[in-house]
Structures are given as structure tokens and as C-alpha cells.
Amino acid sequence: MLSLHITNETNRLKAVVLGLARNIGDQPSIEDTYDPKSLEHLKAGTYPEEQDMVKEIKAVEEVLKKHQVEVYRPKVIENYNQIFSRDIGFVIEDKFIIANILPDREREIEAIQHIIDLVPKENVIRFPEEAHVEGGDVMPHGDYIFVGTYRGEDYPDFITARTNTQAVKALAELFPNKTVKSFNLRKSNTDAKNNALHLDCCFQPVGKDKAIIHKNGFLEEEEYEWLVNYFGKENVFEITKEEMYHMNSNIFSISPEVVISEKNFTRLNAWLRENGITVEEVPYAEIAKQEGLLRCSTLPLIRE
């Protein structure tokens, strides 16, 4: 049995599900893309090759194992993209919440059923169908749960709007002792530089008391300001539009002292080191072309 335990984004990691890049099948057609960045690379002829993405995920696995993290993997489904395990589920405290994901990706959940089966049945939660949620939008942070959402009435028009207000309510009901704080995110189906696909595309806590943030990812300036004030301006690393586009906020913490980051994130990695954090650099620029990075590819199960 797995004793799940997740209360924040940074405590020492003990067990994680890491996505797979093998057997992902043919490149999607333009009509079948789910995000503007994949669309952009398909049109440009620069969509990532499977062998490059396999190497990138292998580099992450090696870092995790070096730090004595137990790494679980999905079962391989032929011709199916299984890289972004964070989308399909997430853990808060001892509960495993299965995400209500885009219907085309439902089989990704089947591929981790052998892991979910290790969790006591009463701790496996599935929200009602109308509560759309993906793990990239959900961040436990002590007494808070931060949730990225899109509150516009035109929610159904955005394939990039992944978590709705019904899911925010469902989380508040499931965790009555926590404050669920939602953030209205900027969405675009066509412009990757003006699209925060998930909350972790424009914000993430790091270290003991710090955070990475991009102002333009938030539709409501006061919600962005709330986060900056909560962490304290001196503890916040502001990323540029270009850095958000390259997913600089989507790194992954092994502990408050150790993070995995993309090797090209020069400015961010220097700031992390200045703040006493060890940066394990990996190549991840190919996977990033699908608008997902290190946090997106990992589903933490147990932290201290």
C-alpha cells in the first residue's frame, strides 16, 4: 500500500510518478493539438522527435534516483502521449484525486491504475464530471490550496481552459480545513505567449519561502498582487514574457534545497543558486515545445 502524503510543492520528495515519452505515436495533426505551442511547432516543422524526448525524461529519472526518490512509471500504451502525468491526477494530503481530463486523454489514467490500486480505495477521489480539473492548476501550500482557473463565461470556447469553478468548489468541499484560493488565468488558443495553460505556467513556490511568477499570466492584477504580497516582494522572482513562454516557472522541487531545472534557464538558475538552492540542470527544451515542462511531467505521491 502507498501512504500518500503531499502538503506542499517543496518538501523532501520520496515517491513520484514520472511520465513516459516512448511509443507516443505519430505527430498530431494541426486539428488535434490541445495548446498553442504544439500548434506553433507543428506549423514550423520543429515539433519534437520521440528519441529526443525519451533522452530528456531519462535525464530527469537519473536525477530523481540520485536523490533516492522512488520513481513509478505508467504502463506503455502504444501510440499514445503519456509525458504529462501531472495533468491526469494529483495528491493532496493522503487523497489521490483523478483529474477530469480532456476525453481524448482518458487512457492515460488507465496506464497508472496499477499505482492508484496501491492507494486505499476510500482515498481515491473522482470529482463529478462537470468539475474539470488538471493537476497543473492545483498547488497545495500548507493551509492553502492554490488553484488556477478560468472564470469567463466563454470557458467552453478555450481548449486551453482546463480547470473550472466547479472544480474549485469541489476542492473546497473535499478539504474544508484548507483555504482554496483561485486565480483567474489568461487563456489563448492561438498565442502561446499570452496563454497560461495551467497555474504552474506562470507561478510556482520554490525553496522554503520563495516563488517564481509572471504577472501577465493572471487576468486579475489584484490576484497577482496577493501572491507577491503573500511571499514578499524580496522573495519573488519575476519572469519575463519570453521566460514564461519557455516555461521557466515549471521547474520541479526535490526538496527546499534542490530543484530540477532546464539547463537554458540561465537567469532563473543563477537566482536559485544565489538563494542557496542546488540546481540539477537537465535538457528539456524539446518536451517544452508541447507547452509542458518538469512539473507537468511529474506527479508527486509522497513528500516528507
Side-chain angles (χ1 to χ4, degrees), residues 67-301:
H67 289 276
Q68 287 81 50
V69 177
E70 188 166 4
V71 181
Y72 292 85
R73 307 305 294 273
K75 289 185 171 159
V76 178
I77 301 172
E78 296 296 318
N79 301 317
Y80 210 63
N81 189 329
Q82 296 174 262
I83 294 171
F84 298 125
S85 55
R86 180 79 63 153
D87 292 352
I88 60 177
F90 54 94
V91 176
I92 299 178
E93 293 182 345
D94 59 354
K95 305 282 190 292
F96 189 104
I97 294 118
I98 297 173
N100 285 334
I101 197 160
L102 297 167
D104 290 357
R105 295 183 60 189
E106 191 70 31
R107 288 177 65 205
E108 286 182 63
I109 296 159
E110 295 165 27
I112 62 164
Q113 192 58 51
H114 63 289
I115 304 164
I116 297 171
D117 288 343
L118 300 171
V119 179
K121 279 195 169 44
E122 65 273 17
N123 286 352
V124 178
I125 311 292
R126 189 154 201 165
F127 288 160
E129 203 175 318
E130 65 275 9
H132 304 169
V133 64
E134 291 186 4
D137 274 323
V138 182
M139 292 187 189
H141 189 78
D143 294 332
Y144 284 95
I145 301 172
F146 299 143
V147 188
T149 185
Y150 179 67
R151 301 192 200 108
E153 287 180 13
D154 55 348
Y155 178 96
D157 299 340
F158 286 98
I159 197 158
T160 51
R162 302 293 176 82
T163 298
N164 63 10
T165 50
Q166 286 95 318
V168 176
K169 285 185 194 129
L171 279 165
E173 284 164 19
L174 184 59
F175 298 101
N177 298 328
K178 291 191 182 286
T179 301
V180 177
K181 178 98 179 140
S182 71
F183 301 90
N184 204 14
L185 301 181
R186 189 175 304 283
K187 301 291 178 181
S188 171
N189 289 344
T190 54
D191 180 2
K193 289 190 176 169
N194 280 301
N195 177 51
L197 189 66
H198 292 123
L199 182 58
D200 61 18
C201 295
C202 59
F203 163 75
Q204 191 177 176
V206 65
K208 288 191 171 71
D209 58 357
K210 300 193 166 24
I212 305 160
I213 199 162
H214 178 64
K215 185 176 183 179
N216 193 51
F218 298 84
L219 275 176
E220 322 279 340
E221 189 166 336
E222 59 269 26
E223 291 178 359
Y224 152 82
E225 295 285 358
W226 186 92
L227 278 169
V228 171
N229 291 334
Y230 177 84
F231 284 91
K233 207 167 182 57
E234 68 286 0
N235 292 320
V236 170
F237 184 79
E238 296 262 3
I239 57 175
T240 65
K241 196 171 211 172
E242 196 66 24
E243 287 169 332
M244 176 185 149
Y245 170 76
H246 290 294
M247 313 285 295
N248 280 41
S249 60
N250 206 281
I251 59 173
F252 183 60
S253 292
I254 292 177
S255 74
E257 294 79 33
V258 182
V259 303
I260 311 178
S261 181
E262 216 288 327
K263 64 186 180 66
N264 295 306
F265 294 173
T266 319
R267 203 172 72 89
L268 171 67
N269 295 346
W271 177 81
L272 290 166
R273 290 185 177 112
E274 281 162 21
N275 282 282
I277 296 170
T278 299
V279 181
E280 294 278 12
E281 293 189 353
V282 295
Y284 228 64
E286 292 304 303
I287 285 172
K289 291 175 179 178
Q290 297 180 73
E291 205 148 357
L293 208 83
L294 293 153
R295 189 178 185 271
C296 300
S297 320
T298 48
L299 196 178
L301 302 170

